[in-house]
Amino acid sequence: MSRYAQEFARSLADPEGFWADAAKNIDWYRPPSVVLDDSNPPFYRWFPDGTLNTCFNAVDRHVRDGRGEQAALIYDSPVTGTQRTYTYGALLEAVARFAGVLRGLGVDKGDRVIVYLPMIPEALIAMLACARIGAVHSVVFGGFAAPELATRIDDATPKVIVSASCGIEGSRVIEYKPILDRAIELAAHKPEHCVIRQRPQAVAELTGGRDLDWESAVAGAAAVDCVPVAATDPLYILYTSGTTAKPKGVVRDNGGHAVALRWSMDNVYDTRAGEVFWAASDVGWVVGHSYIVYAPLLAGCTTVLYEGKPVGTPDAGAFWRVVAEHGVKTLFTAPTAFRAIKKEDPAGELAQRYDLSDFRYLFLAGERLDPETYRWASELLGIPVIDHWWQTETGWAIVADLMGLEPMPTKAGSPTMPVPGFDVRIVDAGGTEVKPGDTGDIVVRLPLPPGCLPTLWQDDERFVASYLAAHPGYYTTGDGGYRDGDGYVFVMGRIDDVINVAGHRLSTGQMEEVLASHPAVAECAVIGVHDDTKGQVPRGFVVLKAGESAAHSEVSAELVQLIRDRIGAVAALRRVDVVTALPKTRSGKILRKTMRGIADGRDEAVPSTIEDPAVLDALRPVLGRD
Ligand code: COA
Ligand code: AMP
């Protein structure tokens, strides 16, 4: 049996032994005597009686063990022309003092803190400071508009919000403070304080009595120590798109998360203490949480925080420059970033200008890795290009080629094999496993391994309804796909209303709710259609109310703006067509899948349940238009 097969089999046959061994790589105040609490299915808890501190394991521990002078964090910001390195010692000092600021503002164990920051070191410092005092952070991606931030404020009810005066998108300065102020105005819950990092590109006006300036607050604060928390206490809440307008508050615990991420650095990423790991994502997404912040620091690596884009800051050679300058061993990003680079530099000429000799692995996730991008990156770099599949809910890879355990032969289009701990099955709608090669829902047998969501924030019911009710005993991933005869998993796409735009997870259902709120709109549909660079982009179709006389182009423009104002620029809905009718089944369901197929140029069969084929025929030319 191969080493992978042995470890995988052991993880399922003896999960407690398997994860108890992995837990030895974490420093505990009280090591867990129980590994898995399965007394209350479908809720499972890992390491229920262990206590630890995630910040201690990510920072203090390395200083204690002699890594105080090693780089922990390299901030590389082409958009501001800045580079700054924090050693583990310096990071400890910064985190402990900011923890002192939060403590001084009355933040205690279990209190929530929203972090609405761009890609600057303060984002990591704020997250780790929360972990240090047992507070629960909830990072909100900077590309979301005020109403989205307000929804998260109302759900997480934070005592404090940490933000900045602005973010920088390429050459544009995006002022964050007006968005924050507006969100607080919209929210029913009001935070007691906001701590604002002033940046020279746009200095924000502070609200007296509520807002504090980051620098002055830190200057007056004393460092505070780590507090022990239960392994099952929440470390963070990360909101992600579901099928409705209300995002899902994915909860991450402390113990399972630390154990799983630490294990993944050795076994999935083959990246060790002292080596440089770069996740080119954003702290607002799960990839940023797990692989910019926690996993590389838990492993004693140097993590790179890059405030820039793959192209345009200043060119398509930016990634190669960062890899060369900082000696990056492992780069993790989304396929869309590589498609963007390829579009500008198809021959990969810019890569030749840099010394990439330390570069060993390119990991890609966040959306399907198309075989063409896989081939291009493999040929250009001559190193393993590894597709791996996971999601906000799991927090780490479900299916991957495990570089540190036993690399497998690659099959383009497949992220390879299930990671130990994930008992992946393909089932039909009735829950029966399908034959190899047949497509179905991808589900994972419970219990999920450590690191995955134990529930949704204060909503056990929605957790069960969203993920566990469809197939009792299994977690429904929301993705469809198949396994081939060798057991390789192929992930073909979402089976719900979630789409992936440039690696950003968005809900078409939520966009439909926004379009439907426009007074001229009678009904609407939003579908994700193929895009060469972003993978998918949303397109909207609306039917206007009878008697509506506004020009179609005007309504379209208003709807595009409405999505920007309500959800944010990141939704990237640039096109809404006004049509006379939407194709439906006889029971009134809009045929979104058929519309999507036609828009993507597939030979889509007309469903026998269609109410009026003429409606679909009339829509074909609109769907086909670029
Ligand atoms: N703050 C504010 N606005 C943001 C933002 C942020 N953090 N991130 C994105 N936006 C804005 C963009 O400026 C853009 O605004 P515009 O419509 O006014 O131009 C809009 O949201 C859409 O952004 P995006 O989809 O990223 O498109 P883009 O054309 O700016 O960039 C790529 C395209 C491919 C270069 C970019 O998406 C990218 O680098 N992707 C990498 C993938 C990634 O990091 N995924 C995370 C998970 S691994
Ligand atoms: P997010 O929660 O934002 O990380 O998005 C998770 C979703 O992105 C998954 O459910 C998949 O639909 C998609 N996804 C992530 N990684 C991959 C991958 N390697 N291959 C195919 N789809 C992926």
Side-chain angles (χ1 to χ4, degrees), residues 141-143 169 172 176 280-281 285 287 309-310 334 336 502-504 534 564 569-570 574:
F141 177 63
E169 276 290 293
R172 280 180 305 155
Y176 275 32
S281 175
W285 305 113
V287 174
K309 297 264 176 185
T336 195
H504 306 144
K534 296 191 178 188
R564 251 184 121 79
V570 69
R574 303 213 197 283

Side-chain angles (χ1 to χ4, degrees), residues 9-200:
R10 181 173 170 240
S11 76
L12 299 193
D14 176 22
E16 297 184 59
F18 187 93
W19 293 112
D21 281 350
K24 290 180 188 143
N25 283 328
I26 293 299
D27 242 85
W28 301 84
Y29 296 111
R30 186 172 68 222
S33 68
V34 178
V35 177
L36 175 66
D37 172 5
D38 56 2
S39 60
N40 182 30
F43 298 93
Y44 296 87
R45 295 287 183 267
W46 289 96
F47 314 111
D49 63 349
T51 62
L52 77 161
N53 184 283
T54 299
C55 177
F56 181 86
N57 277 277
V59 186
D60 303 53
R61 175 189 190 175
H62 304 304
V63 176
R64 180 198 68 189
D65 295 347
R67 294 192 174 274
E69 295 304 312
Q70 182 203 304
L73 165 66
I74 297 171
Y75 167 57
D76 184 308
S77 169
V79 296
T80 57
T82 317
Q83 285 197 16
R84 195 155 70 238
T85 299
Y86 289 73
T87 61
Y88 270 101
L91 185 61
L92 172 56
E93 164 75 17
V95 170
R97 283 177 74 128
F98 194 66
V101 171
L102 293 176
R103 178 69 67 65
L105 295 175
V107 177
D108 231 318
K109 205 172 176 169
D111 288 336
R112 275 82 53 214
V113 173
I114 280 191
V115 176
Y116 185 61
L117 281 170
M119 288 284 286
I120 55 178
E122 287 75 7
L124 276 80
I125 292 167
M127 291 163 78
L128 291 162
C130 289
R132 192 171 190 83
I133 57 172
V136 182
H137 62 69
S138 187
V139 182
V140 179
F141 177 63
F144 283 125
E148 285 291 299
L149 179 55
T151 307
R152 287 154 175 79
I153 293 173
D154 276 336
D155 199 69
T157 59
K159 214 170 224 180
V160 169
I161 300 185
V162 185
S163 190
S165 55
C166 66
I168 299 153
E169 276 290 293
S171 56
R172 280 180 305 155
V173 173
I174 314 267
E175 290 195 35
Y176 275 32
K177 189 60 180 12
I179 302 173
L180 174 65
D181 288 342
R182 175 78 185 128
I184 295 175
E185 209 176 290
L186 290 172
H189 171 84
K190 310 291 175 196
E192 289 168 23
H193 293 285
C194 298
V195 184
I196 308 294
R197 178 72 173 122
Q198 295 281 17
R199 306 186 78 188

Side-chain angles (χ1 to χ4, degrees), residues 118-402:
M119 288 284 286
I120 55 178
E122 287 75 7
L124 276 80
I125 292 167
M127 291 163 78
L128 291 162
C130 289
R132 192 171 190 83
I133 57 172
V136 182
H137 62 69
S138 187
V139 182
V140 179
F141 177 63
F144 283 125
E148 285 291 299
L149 179 55
T151 307
R152 287 154 175 79
I153 293 173
D154 276 336
D155 199 69
T157 59
K159 214 170 224 180
V160 169
I161 300 185
V162 185
S163 190
S165 55
C166 66
I168 299 153
E169 276 290 293
S171 56
R172 280 180 305 155
V173 173
I174 314 267
E175 290 195 35
Y176 275 32
K177 189 60 180 12
I179 302 173
L180 174 65
D181 288 342
R182 175 78 185 128
I184 295 175
E185 209 176 290
L186 290 172
H189 171 84
K190 310 291 175 196
E192 289 168 23
H193 293 285
C194 298
V195 184
I196 308 294
R197 178 72 173 122
Q198 295 281 17
R199 306 186 78 188
Q201 293 78 10
V203 176
E205 212 172 288
L206 302 187
T207 306
R210 186 194 74 187
D211 298 347
L212 285 84
D213 166 60
W214 172 293
E215 260 183 69
S216 351
V218 167
V224 302
D225 211 347
C226 297
V227 301
V229 299
T232 52
D233 280 343
L235 169 69
Y236 70 76
I237 309 165
L238 177 58
Y239 290 90
T240 189
S241 297
T243 48
T244 64
K246 189 171 187 277
K248 292 169 167 165
V250 168
V251 174
R252 195 81 59 210
D253 68 10
N254 274 274
H257 175 251
V259 171
L261 290 193
R262 179 71 188 76
W263 187 91
S264 77
M265 287 302 287
D266 288 343
N267 291 280
V268 179
Y269 300 98
D270 187 30
T271 307
R272 321 273 159 172
E275 296 179 328
V276 184
F277 190 96
W278 175 27
S281 175
D282 188 287
V283 285
W285 305 113
V286 71
V287 174
H289 281 63
S290 294
Y291 292 103
I292 295 175
V293 187
Y294 288 110
L297 296 180
L298 286 165
C301 298
T302 300
T303 187
V304 178
L305 181 73
Y306 174 69
E307 190 182 27
K309 297 264 176 185
V311 294
T313 58
D315 58 27
F319 273 26
W320 320 131
R321 174 191 67 74
V322 174
V323 167
E325 272 183 31
H326 307 305
V328 171
K329 174 181 178 182
T330 308
L331 168 60
F332 177 173
T333 191
T336 195
F338 266 72
R339 288 195 297 268
I341 294 170
K342 177 171 168 250
K343 198 167 157 195
E344 296 218 348
D345 180 22
E349 281 164 9
L350 292 166
Q352 316 305 331
R353 298 194 193 156
Y354 296 93
D355 171 8
L356 303 180
S357 52
D358 290 323
F359 194 14
R360 282 283 304 284
Y361 300 116
L362 170 64
F363 282 86
L364 297 169
E367 53 175 327
R368 183 163 181 271
L369 173 58
D370 54 291
E372 175 50 32
T373 304
Y374 167 74
R375 265 189 292 275
W376 185 79
S378 301
E379 279 163 24
L380 174 69
L381 300 171
I383 59 171
V385 174
I386 302 120
D387 179 15
H388 58 327
W389 169 63
W390 53 294
Q391 44 187 210
T392 305
E393 289 83 348
T394 62
W396 64 296
I398 312 167
V399 172
D401 196 0
L402 293 117

Side-chain angles (χ1 to χ4, degrees), residues 268-580:
V268 179
Y269 300 98
D270 187 30
T271 307
R272 321 273 159 172
E275 296 179 328
V276 184
F277 190 96
W278 175 27
S281 175
D282 188 287
V283 285
W285 305 113
V286 71
V287 174
H289 281 63
S290 294
Y291 292 103
I292 295 175
V293 187
Y294 288 110
L297 296 180
L298 286 165
C301 298
T302 300
T303 187
V304 178
L305 181 73
Y306 174 69
E307 190 182 27
K309 297 264 176 185
V311 294
T313 58
D315 58 27
F319 273 26
W320 320 131
R321 174 191 67 74
V322 174
V323 167
E325 272 183 31
H326 307 305
V328 171
K329 174 181 178 182
T330 308
L331 168 60
F332 177 173
T333 191
T336 195
F338 266 72
R339 288 195 297 268
I341 294 170
K342 177 171 168 250
K343 198 167 157 195
E344 296 218 348
D345 180 22
E349 281 164 9
L350 292 166
Q352 316 305 331
R353 298 194 193 156
Y354 296 93
D355 171 8
L356 303 180
S357 52
D358 290 323
F359 194 14
R360 282 283 304 284
Y361 300 116
L362 170 64
F363 282 86
L364 297 169
E367 53 175 327
R368 183 163 181 271
L369 173 58
D370 54 291
E372 175 50 32
T373 304
Y374 167 74
R375 265 189 292 275
W376 185 79
S378 301
E379 279 163 24
L380 174 69
L381 300 171
I383 59 171
V385 174
I386 302 120
D387 179 15
H388 58 327
W389 169 63
W390 53 294
Q391 44 187 210
T392 305
E393 289 83 348
T394 62
W396 64 296
I398 312 167
V399 172
D401 196 0
L402 293 117
M403 289 296 115
L405 190 58
E406 185 189 20
M408 313 281 270
T410 326
K411 294 192 189 189
S414 167
T416 317
M417 292 290 205
V419 170
F422 289 96
D423 189 356
V424 174
R425 311 283 177 101
I426 314 290
V427 297
D428 64 20
T432 307
E433 268 190 69
V434 301
K435 300 194 303 299
D438 284 359
T439 300
D441 296 1
I442 313 182
V443 300
V444 184
R445 211 173 119 89
L446 297 176
L448 292 170
C452 301
L453 81 172
T455 190
L456 294 175
W457 178 246
Q458 294 188 327
D459 206 345
D460 285 350
E461 233 171 79
R462 189 174 182 204
F463 171 61
V464 174
S466 307
Y467 302 108
L468 309 178
H471 301 290
Y474 294 85
Y475 164 81
T476 298
T477 63
D479 282 296
Y482 64 94
R483 293 189 80 170
D484 72 4
D486 299 324
Y488 280 63
V489 178
F490 289 77
V491 181
M492 302 313 290
R494 298 287 305 194
I495 51 178
D496 56 15
D497 295 339
V498 168
I499 56 171
N500 260 287
V501 180
H504 306 144
R505 177 165 158 181
L506 299 162
S507 162
T508 53
Q510 180 187 20
M511 292 187 215
E512 288 182 2
E513 284 186 38
V514 173
L515 296 187
S517 72
H518 188 284
V521 171
E523 57 178 352
C524 64
V526 175
I527 56 172
V529 300
H530 173 82
D531 179 85
D532 282 343
T533 306
K534 296 191 178 188
Q536 274 185 310
V537 288
R539 271 188 65 184
F541 301 86
V542 297
V543 177
L544 300 188
K545 285 181 182 157
E548 179 57 53
S549 57
H552 290 183
S553 58
E554 235 170 70
V555 177
S556 292
E558 280 172 27
L559 291 170
V560 166
Q561 190 59 40
L562 196 62
I563 294 280
R564 251 184 121 79
D565 295 344
R566 295 267 187 89
I567 302 179
V570 69
L573 178 70
R574 303 213 197 283
R575 176 155 172 212
V576 178
D577 286 290
V578 176
V579 296
T580 46

